[in-house]
């Protein structure tokens, strides 16, 4: 079993790009976690986020089948790259104008990247982690940006 059997280099690159804006935001902004009423949902969101990032870059070999056709890998690379560019642009706009709408767009875009990766690569655990992340992040966003 070689290095590239365990590590998905492109998935790892996409995972790093998804994680960096969160780290930058956490370092530059103070946000109140007491605004989130349900602590379990906060932990669900974090578990989904970190599991998604891990599973995008690492192949566990459990409940994974890989791409079903070579064209699927090309489609995944192109569509994920486009979604990632949209994600980065949304983060830049969000950092200038922090609104609930942009927060929801960020959540949906990042979850779409993860869920699509799980579907196209036939990675059941990544798909599940993406769904858990989406549910948790939507709740946390709704609590953090109350109107």
């Amino acid at each position: 079993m070689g290095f590239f059997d365990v590590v998905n280099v492109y998935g790892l690159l996409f995972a790093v790009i998804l994680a960096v804006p969160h780290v930058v935001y956490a370092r530059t902004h103070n946000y109140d976690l007491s605004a989130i009423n349900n602590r379990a949902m906060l932990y669900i969101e974090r578990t989904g986020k970190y599991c998604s990032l891990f599973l995008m870059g690492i192949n566990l070999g459990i409940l994974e089948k890989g791409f079903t056709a070579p064209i699927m890998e090309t489609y995944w690379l192109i569509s994920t790259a486009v979604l990632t560019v949209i994600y980065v642009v949304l983060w830049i706009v969000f950092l200038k104008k922090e609104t609930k709408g942009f927060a929801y767009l960020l959540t949906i875009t990042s979850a779409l990247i993860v869920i699509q990766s799980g579907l196209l690569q036939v990675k059941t655990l990544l798909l599940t982690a993406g769904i858990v992340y989406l549910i948790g992040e939507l709740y946390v966003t709704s609590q953090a940006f109350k109107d």
Side-chain angles (χ1 to χ4, degrees):
M1 182 181 272
F3 177 76
F4 293 107
D5 294 333
V6 176
V7 176
N8 178 351
V9 176
Y10 295 117
L12 191 59
L13 176 66
F14 290 131
V16 168
I17 293 171
L18 288 174
V20 166
H22 286 282
V23 173
V24 170
Y25 186 79
R27 294 271 183 193
T28 59
H29 290 76
N30 293 327
Y31 49 93
D32 186 19
L33 292 178
S34 65
I36 298 159
N37 298 329
N38 190 342
R39 283 286 200 222
M41 288 302 288
L42 179 64
Y43 295 129
I44 287 171
E45 179 266 337
R46 287 184 179 171
T47 301
K49 180 189 305 181
Y50 298 131
C51 286
S52 296
L53 294 174
F54 176 78
L55 292 170
M56 281 198 57
I58 304 298
N59 298 321
L60 294 178
I62 301 169
L63 299 173
E64 295 177 356
K65 297 201 186 311
F67 295 104
T68 56
I71 191 74
M72 297 304 283
E73 184 173 8
T74 305
Y75 174 76
W76 172 72
L77 283 170
I78 293 170
S79 62
T80 305
V82 168
L83 285 170
T84 303
V85 168
I86 292 169
Y87 179 75
V88 169
V89 169
L90 284 171
W91 259 109
I92 291 168
V93 173
F94 178 75
L95 290 173
K96 294 180 187 290
K97 183 179 179 184
E98 293 183 28
T99 64
K100 191 174 191 174
F102 281 115
Y104 278 129
L105 284 173
L106 280 168
T107 298
I108 291 168
T109 305
S110 62
L112 183 62
I113 291 169
V114 174
I115 291 170
Q116 172 185 276
S117 295
L119 284 172
L120 294 177
Q121 295 179 49
V122 191
K123 288 181 157 184
T124 308
L125 293 176
L126 179 59
L127 174 63
T128 305
I131 293 168
V132 168
Y133 166 66
L134 176 63
I135 293 167
E137 185 72 16
L138 285 173
Y139 178 82
V140 169
T141 301
S142 71
Q143 294 296 304
F145 291 93
K146 291 183 181 180
D147 290 335

